[in-house]
Amino acid sequence: MTAMEWLEILGWGLLALLGLAAIALSPLIFLLLVAAVRPESIQRAVRVVLSPRYRLKVIGREHLPMTGPVLLISNHVSWLDGFILAAVVPRRGRALVYAPYLGIPVIGPLAQRSGMIPVPDRGPRAQRAMLKAAYEVLDRGEVLAIFPEAQISRNGLLGPLYRGIEVMASNREHAAVVPVYLDNLWGSIFSYSGGRFFRKWPKGLRRTVVVSFGPPIERPVTAPGARRAILEAGVRAFEARPETDRERDLETIDRSLPSLEHPTLGLLAASTADFHQGIIHQIGHKEGSFGQSVPGVALRVVGEEDGTPLPPDAEGRLQALVAGHPGWQDVGRVARIDRDGFVFPSDGAEVSG
C-alpha cells in the first residue's frame, strides 16, 4: 500500500471521527444553546443542532404567506417534528405541543425557547386551553403549527385528524391554513420504527428530511379534507426524497391483512396492526377495508359524472395521486373513504390479504 493510500485512509478516518464527535456532542450543544441563544436567533441555532444528523430539504415554501396569521397543520412522525418546523419556517412562529413532552430534560427547555406552547392532556380542559393558546397566536398575526393527529404515529402512516382544526379554522377565517408534510423521519431514532423510541442505532451518518408545504386549503376546512391536503404534500415530499429512500412498504405493514395494489401505480393502501398502549390508541386495520394510504400516495373519491371530490363515506370513482406519476389517476374501481382515511371497495370486489 502506497503512502498516498495510507494518507487517504487516515483522512477518511479523521472525517468519520469528527462526524461521530459532532453527533455525540449534540446534547451538549443543545444545552449551550438553551443558555446562550436569543429567542429571535433560535431558528439558526436549531438548524446548527440538527445539521450533524439531518439534512433539511424544503419544497413548496412559496405556499407559506409571509404576512398575516397562518395555521400550519402537519403530520407527526417523531419527537423532532416541532424542532424541524422551527428550523425551516421562514417566519417566527409557535407550535402547540403535549405538555409532558416539554418536561423532558434538555429537549423541554429548548422546545419552549423555540416557541412551543404546552397544552394539557385530552379532555374538555385541554380543548379549551388549546383553542385559547391558538387564538392568541393567530390574533397577533403569527404562524401557529399544530399536529392534529394529537399523537406521534406508531406505524409510520398518517392517522385521522381531530376536529379541533375545523373549529380553529371556522373561528379564525382570516388565517391561512397551510398543510405541511415531514417526510423520511420514519426510521430515525426519534420515531417509533422498530417498535420503540430512542433505543436503536441510527441508520447512516446523515438523513435527508424533506419538508413539503402545500397550497392553502380552501374553505370550509374539514378534518378529512385537511388530511388529504397533508397527504398531497407528502406525495411531493416523497418525490424529493433520495432515490435510495423511496420505499412505500414500511416494516409495520402486515401483508397478511388486506391491501390495494395497482398494476402500474404499485402499492396504494395497506393495513397495519392496531396499537393500544396507555392513552395512545391507533387503528391500523378496519374489517372490510384495504387500509390507508401508504407513503408517497394520496387517495380520494370523486363523482362518477363531474369528477368532483366527494365527502367521507360517499361512493364514487377511486383516484390516486402517486409519486412519480402525473396528476390524479383513476384506479379503476368504485370505493368510499371514511373519515379516518380507510378505503372500502364498493364495486363488489372481495377484500383479501
Side-chain angles (χ1 to χ4, degrees):
M1 188 175 292
T2 66
M4 287 301 295
E5 288 173 327
W6 276 111
L7 285 173
E8 185 176 357
I9 291 172
L10 180 62
W12 280 110
L14 287 173
L15 188 62
L17 285 174
L18 286 172
L20 291 172
I23 294 169
L25 289 174
S26 288
L28 176 60
I29 298 172
F30 238 58
L31 291 171
L32 291 174
L33 288 172
V34 170
V37 175
R38 295 176 300 172
E40 57 269 25
S41 303
I42 200 72
Q43 185 181 67
R44 287 193 298 273
V46 173
R47 282 202 296 264
V48 168
V49 172
L50 293 175
S51 61
R53 283 287 301 138
Y54 298 94
R55 180 186 298 105
L56 302 180
K57 183 175 183 178
V58 183
I59 61 175
R61 203 182 328 234
E62 68 275 8
H63 296 308
L64 185 67
M66 295 308 294
T67 59
V70 177
L71 179 63
L72 286 178
I73 54 172
S74 174
N75 63 321
H76 204 4
V77 188
S78 79
W79 288 78
L80 284 183
D81 296 349
F83 292 109
I84 289 172
L85 285 177
V88 302
V89 174
R91 296 174 55 188
R92 175 80 173 139
R94 305 277 181 176
L96 299 184
V97 179
Y98 178 46
Y101 292 168
L102 300 187
I104 299 173
V106 180
I107 293 178
L110 184 58
Q112 295 194 53
R113 291 289 298 275
S114 301
M116 298 183 200
I117 302 171
V119 294
D121 198 357
R122 293 167 175 77
R125 177 171 169 265
Q127 289 289 328
R128 289 193 297 271
M130 177 187 69
L131 291 174
K132 180 176 182 295
Y135 296 153
E136 288 175 353
V137 174
L138 295 175
D139 289 344
R140 292 196 298 267
E142 298 177 356
V143 176
L144 175 69
I146 63 172
F147 302 102
E149 293 169 272
Q151 54 193 3
I152 297 175
S153 176
R154 268 33 177 208
N155 60 13
L157 303 180
L158 180 66
L161 308 189
Y162 279 79
R163 288 186 170 180
I165 60 168
E166 298 177 357
V167 177
M168 289 184 196
S170 63
N171 288 334
R172 293 298 184 273
E173 293 192 357
H174 61 297
V177 182
V178 176
V180 57
Y181 193 94
L182 307 178
D183 187 63
N184 205 25
L185 277 163
W186 183 259
S188 76
I189 62 172
F190 297 97
S191 71
Y192 201 73
S193 65
R196 58 188 178 274
F197 293 112
F198 304 114
R199 294 171 294 143
K200 50 184 176 284
W201 287 103
K203 297 178 181 179
L205 286 177
R206 204 161 183 236
R207 174 181 291 269
T208 297
V209 174
V210 183
V211 183
S212 173
F213 294 95
I217 301 172
E218 294 184 4
R219 295 176 183 276
V221 176
T222 65
R227 184 180 183 278
R228 188 173 67 240
I230 293 173
L231 286 174
E232 290 180 35
V235 172
R236 303 301 169 227
F238 196 90
E239 292 175 332
R241 276 191 192 193
E243 289 194 17
T244 53
D245 292 337
R246 293 182 188 177
E247 177 58 61
R248 291 191 215 165
D249 202 343
L250 301 175
E251 87 277 5
T252 56
I253 290 174
D254 187 342
R255 282 297 195 161
S256 69
L257 294 172
S259 61
L260 177 61
E261 196 144 5
H262 190 271
T264 57
L265 300 175
L267 182 65
L268 301 179
S271 300
T272 70
D274 293 339
F275 183 91
H276 301 287
Q277 189 178 90
I279 64 171
I280 303 298
H281 300 280
Q282 291 184 359
I283 299 173
H285 170 61
K286 289 187 179 182
E287 191 68 30
S289 83
F290 288 121
Q292 300 168 289
S293 300
V294 297
V297 175
L299 296 170
R300 70 181 184 184
V301 170
V302 300
E304 291 281 0
E305 296 181 1
D306 58 6
T308 302
L310 298 177
D313 290 316
E315 294 184 356
R317 298 199 325 267
L318 183 63
Q319 293 187 334
L321 183 67
V322 182
H325 296 267
W328 288 93
Q329 306 278 327
D330 271 310
V331 174
R333 67 188 317 152
V334 177
R336 66 180 178 87
I337 301 177
D338 71 5
R339 287 190 61 88
D340 297 339
F342 286 86
V343 183
F344 294 82
S346 305
D347 50 13
E350 291 187 1
V351 177
S352 59

